[in-house]
């Protein structure tokens, strides 16, 4: 905070810097200092598959798997939002409309995670009333509008009984305009189990937005 106000003080020494300009500078400095700090996108690597401060979407299912906000580059400039988890290996799972199961995934070094060292981000439940709530985290250069990482569940019948496992990927409107979580689970099968989870499901928001 000191640096902003000190800058105003230094600028006020200029003969071309007016009283009005000084007051505006102070007001801007106060605004910048009062505004909560937002998180940022941080590149992963094979050595650091989960950068420090990566934002958790959810870890609250019956068979818990920690799921984090991520994004993968899908062309030279656009990023596709998705969700990251470790199930045998680190995968950032994201929507791919041309894939057979509508998802693809990227490994460490080929995705970014949303990191927040200020504590403004958290996992919430997206609902039919608020499928894309204020503060929903999106990439800087999103490949799709209204897309974000998500975590839903997929049911597997084992011994005649249904068991529910976390699935993770990208939430976005489908062809009918209904929000879905296009997701995969690798909890039981290395080849993956796929779903288009309906609301409600878990996403992450940043309250500084």
């Amino acid at each position: 905070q000191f640096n902003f106000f000190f800058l105003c003080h230094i600028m006020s020494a200029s003969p071309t810097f007016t009283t009005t300009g000084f007051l505006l500078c102070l007001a801007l400095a106060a605004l910048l200092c009062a505004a909560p700090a937002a998180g940022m996108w941080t590149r992963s690597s094979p050595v650091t598959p989960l950068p420090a401060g990566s934002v958790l979407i959810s870890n609250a299912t019956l068979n818990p798997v920690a799921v984090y906000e991520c994004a993968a580059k899908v062309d030279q400039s656009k990023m596709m939002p998705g969700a990251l988890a470790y199930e045998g290996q680190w995968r950032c799972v994201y929507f791919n409309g041309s894939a057979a199961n509508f998802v693809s995934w990227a490994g460490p070094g080929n995705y970014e995670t949303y990191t927040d060292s200020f504590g403004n981000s958290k996992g919430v439940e997206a609902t039919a009333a608020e499928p894309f709530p204020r503060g929903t985290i999106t990439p800087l250069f999103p490949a799709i509008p209204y897309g974000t990482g998500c975590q839903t569940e997929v049911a597997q019948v084992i011994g005649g009984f249904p068991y529910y496992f976390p699935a993770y990927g990208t939430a976005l409107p489908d062809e009918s305009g209904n929000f879905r979580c296009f997701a995969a689970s690798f909890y039981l099968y290395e080849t993956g189990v796929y779903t288009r989870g309906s609301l409600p499901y878990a996403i992450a928001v940043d309250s500084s937005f």
Side-chain angles (χ1 to χ4, degrees):
Q1 294 182 2
F2 169 80
N3 286 341
F4 286 117
F5 292 106
F6 184 69
L7 177 62
C8 292
H9 175 72
I10 295 298
M11 293 175 67
S12 68
S14 170
T16 60
F17 197 66
T18 64
T19 301
T20 301
F22 179 66
L23 293 175
L24 288 173
C25 184
L26 288 178
L28 179 60
L31 181 63
L32 290 172
C33 292
M40 60 185 292
W41 288 96
T42 303
R43 183 73 178 268
S44 67
S45 72
V47 176
T48 311
L50 185 68
S54 293
V55 171
L56 184 70
I57 294 175
S58 178
N59 191 24
T61 54
L62 292 175
N63 297 282
V65 172
V67 177
Y68 301 88
E69 189 76 28
C70 70
K73 184 177 287 188
V74 292
D75 64 24
Q76 293 300 317
S77 59
K78 301 295 185 181
M79 303 293 289
M80 182 66 73
L84 171 71
Y86 182 84
E87 291 182 301
Q89 59 181 285
W90 287 101
R91 295 180 180 92
C92 174
V93 179
Y94 59 91
F95 176 77
N96 181 350
S98 62
N101 296 299
F102 295 101
V103 297
S104 295
W105 55 84
N110 296 310
Y111 60 79
E112 300 175 354
T113 67
Y114 191 76
T115 57
D116 179 5
S117 59
F118 304 100
N120 296 320
S121 303
K122 63 179 181 179
V124 300
E125 186 177 75
T127 65
E130 277 193 301
F132 199 80
R134 180 177 179 180
T136 296
I137 297 170
T138 60
L140 292 176
F141 302 101
I144 53 171
Y146 302 107
T148 190
C150 62
Q151 181 259 299
T152 185
E153 290 183 327
V154 61
Q156 293 287 289
V157 177
I158 303 173
F161 296 95
Y163 291 83
Y164 295 90
F165 300 93
Y168 45 97
T170 304
L172 74 160
D174 65 12
E175 60 275 8
S176 299
N178 300 311
F179 274 82
R180 300 277 188 179
C181 181
F182 293 82
S185 171
F186 301 90
Y187 200 97
L188 294 179
Y189 304 101
E190 186 177 350
T191 54
V193 177
Y194 304 89
T195 186
R196 296 172 61 167
S198 56
L199 293 161
Y201 45 70
I203 63 170
V205 298
D206 187 332
S207 62
S208 66
F209 291 168

